[in-house]
Amino acid sequence: MDKIEIQIDSMLKELIPQYLETRKKEIVKLKEFLQTNEIHELERLAHKMAGNSGSYGFHQMGKYAKELELLCQQTSQDGADDLIAKIEHYINHLEIKYI
Amino acid sequence: MDLRGKEIFIIDDDEQILILMRKILENNGIKVETFSNPQKAVEALNHSSPNLVMIDLNFGNHNISGFDILSVRMKDPTLLKIPFIVLSGLSDHKMIKQAIKLKADDFIQKPINTQIIQIKLRKFFLKEQTLRYVFETEEELDLTGVISAQITHISENSLQISSQVKYSNHSSMAIDGNRIQQLEAKACLYETMSDAIAVDIGYYKSKVKIIGVNNVIASNIRKL
């Protein structure tokens, strides 16, 4: 299995499960917004995800979300589904070590 | 630097950031008030004086920005006494310069790093509590110096300082610093009440009498 190993401050241990659950719900929303072509909402949600995921230690997820946010500002959103898939893959394959 | 007992307001429209910051700060014994609505924070600041405010610059859907709040604060002498640290994902140097121009006291860039936040806050409060001492005798000038120290306790008639100076009993001094100015106690006289006690290698604790405390100062101290 291609696990994504990351280290997070043990101080945040009790916050992480809820944080990730909320992001999983947001991934569903991201897919919906893309399907219904609600690009402004897609951008807003990607911006939010980009803004806080790095602070929780999920830097790669933050980068994908930032790419998605910037893509929403373009005329075409080609590749948005790929970025959402990358976020989903990342979150589903995390192996967190609390330090 | 002990952060316990400090009160910090955090203003950020991202609930996840507020949850994270609350966790980090409360873990250090800090009392935390969080505001996802910047307007509510402004209202709260009209009747509260936290030790520090940490503020985001961009509030998304709200009609007010962190810059707006800093601008309001700059014109209000009471608010200006409360230190503000900008906590923002904006990395544009012009933005940071603008915040500093609006008298922001420091800048912490997101993403938040738990270790950096704690170190920054300790350094910030240490700096804030750094005092200057100038001491001399009535008869002749023995010594004039500027010395940094921390206030570790304060009551209406005395305070305790920790410094690298081993004061003897009855050493008189002037004390200045943000906290003392906030208490309006700069004009008081200060005199040690005993010989300093060593608390660590090269560090000494001294109890200092505050002379000339009036009702205003006493009230300000009680509000701490």
Side-chain angles (χ1 to χ4, degrees):
Chain A
M1 289 293 286
D2 51 344
K3 288 283 178 197
I4 300 162
E5 293 177 14
I6 63 162
Q7 294 185 336
I8 290 181
D9 193 321
S10 56
M11 191 196 297
L12 307 181
K13 190 174 181 178
E14 65 185 63
L15 300 183
I16 298 299
Q18 183 61 54
Y19 179 82
L20 291 175
E21 275 313 302
T22 311
R23 301 292 80 73
K24 283 177 182 174
K25 286 174 189 164
E26 285 181 351
I27 290 169
V28 175
K29 286 275 180 198
L30 289 174
K31 289 178 182 174
E32 282 174 11
F33 289 143
L34 185 60
Q35 270 185 348
T36 53
N37 207 31
E38 293 174 82
I39 304 306
H40 181 68
E41 288 303 304
L42 183 63
E43 183 187 351
R44 186 190 57 76
L45 192 51
H47 170 79
K48 192 176 155 193
M49 200 180 270
N52 59 43
S53 50
S55 294
Y56 278 80
F58 306 113
H59 297 282
Q60 190 57 49
M61 183 162 73
K63 283 178 187 168
Y64 291 144
K66 189 70 190 173
E67 279 184 55
L68 182 59
E69 179 193 352
L70 294 174
L71 191 59
C72 290
Q73 294 163 9
Q74 307 298 315
T75 48
S76 164
Q77 279 71 51
D78 284 352
D81 51 353
D82 186 40
L83 283 169
I84 296 171
K86 282 181 177 174
I87 294 171
E88 190 170 29
H89 179 272
Y90 178 88
I91 217 165
N92 287 333
H93 289 80
L94 275 174
E95 192 163 277
I96 301 170
K97 186 181 176 190
Y98 293 99
I99 54 169
Chain B
M1 179 68 217
D2 193 354
L3 298 174
R4 279 176 296 181
K6 300 282 183 197
E7 185 180 15
I8 297 182
F9 280 12
I10 307 167
I11 313 172
D12 197 308
D13 66 330
D14 188 334
E15 290 283 356
Q16 296 295 340
I17 295 294
L18 293 179
I19 292 168
L20 179 72
M21 286 300 294
R22 178 182 286 282
K23 182 72 186 170
I24 298 169
L25 300 190
E26 285 186 346
N27 208 53
N28 283 275
I30 296 168
K31 189 181 167 200
V32 182
E33 289 279 344
T34 59
F35 299 89
S36 57
N37 182 337
Q39 297 283 10
K40 296 270 184 199
V42 173
E43 286 167 25
L45 283 168
N46 284 330
H47 50 80
S48 304
S49 293
N51 299 102
L52 176 70
V53 174
M54 301 181 86
I55 185 170
D56 189 14
L57 291 176
N58 184 0
F59 299 129
N61 292 335
H62 295 275
N63 293 325
I64 185 170
S65 73
F67 292 115
D68 295 329
I69 295 178
L70 286 172
S71 298
V72 169
R73 169 181 173 257
M74 205 164 78
K75 293 168 194 157
D76 183 331
T78 308
L79 270 184
L80 208 50
K81 285 179 187 169
I82 304 170
F84 271 51
I85 290 182
V86 168
L87 185 68
S88 179
L90 296 176
S91 54
D92 186 335
H93 281 211
K94 280 184 186 169
M95 296 287 195
I96 297 167
K97 274 187 180 175
Q98 194 184 340
I100 300 295
K101 205 174 167 184
L102 291 169
K103 298 202 172 179
D105 295 86
D106 207 342
F107 186 90
I108 296 177
Q109 192 168 353
K110 291 179 190 168
I112 291 160
N113 177 300
T114 53
Q115 298 302 318
I116 288 173
I117 284 278
Q118 292 172 90
I119 291 166
K120 271 260 189 186
L121 286 178
R122 285 200 176 90
K123 280 188 176 175
F124 185 83
F125 281 118
L126 189 62
K127 190 174 144 200
E128 196 216 4
Q129 288 188 357
T130 294
L131 309 175
R132 291 181 292 126
Y133 294 77
V134 179
F135 51 106
E136 56 189 87
T137 66
E138 283 178 11
E139 297 82 17
E140 61 183 44
L141 192 64
D142 271 340
L143 173 68
T144 299
V146 179
I147 294 157
S148 297
Q150 272 182 266
I151 294 179
T152 51
H153 290 94
I154 188 163
S155 70
E156 288 169 40
N157 51 23
S158 69
L159 53 83
Q160 190 171 283
I161 56 169
S162 175
S163 75
Q164 291 177 288
V165 176
K166 191 176 181 182
Y167 292 102
S168 55
N169 194 12
H170 300 302
S171 298
S172 58
M173 60 188 74
I175 301 184
D176 193 8
N178 290 344
R179 175 67 70 197
I180 290 296
Q181 287 181 19
Q182 196 180 356
L183 295 171
E184 301 180 47
K186 190 183 168 185
C188 290
L189 300 173
Y190 298 89
E191 187 180 298
T192 54
M193 299 166 74
S194 58
D195 289 341
I197 299 165
V199 287
D200 205 343
I201 299 167
Y203 275 89
Y204 302 91
K205 185 170 71 175
S206 301
K207 195 165 183 186
V208 179
K209 184 162 62 178
I210 313 173
I211 304 159
V213 175
N214 59 27
N215 287 340
V216 174
I217 298 168
S219 167
N220 288 341
I221 292 171
R222 282 196 298 272
K223 282 179 196 165
L224 286 176

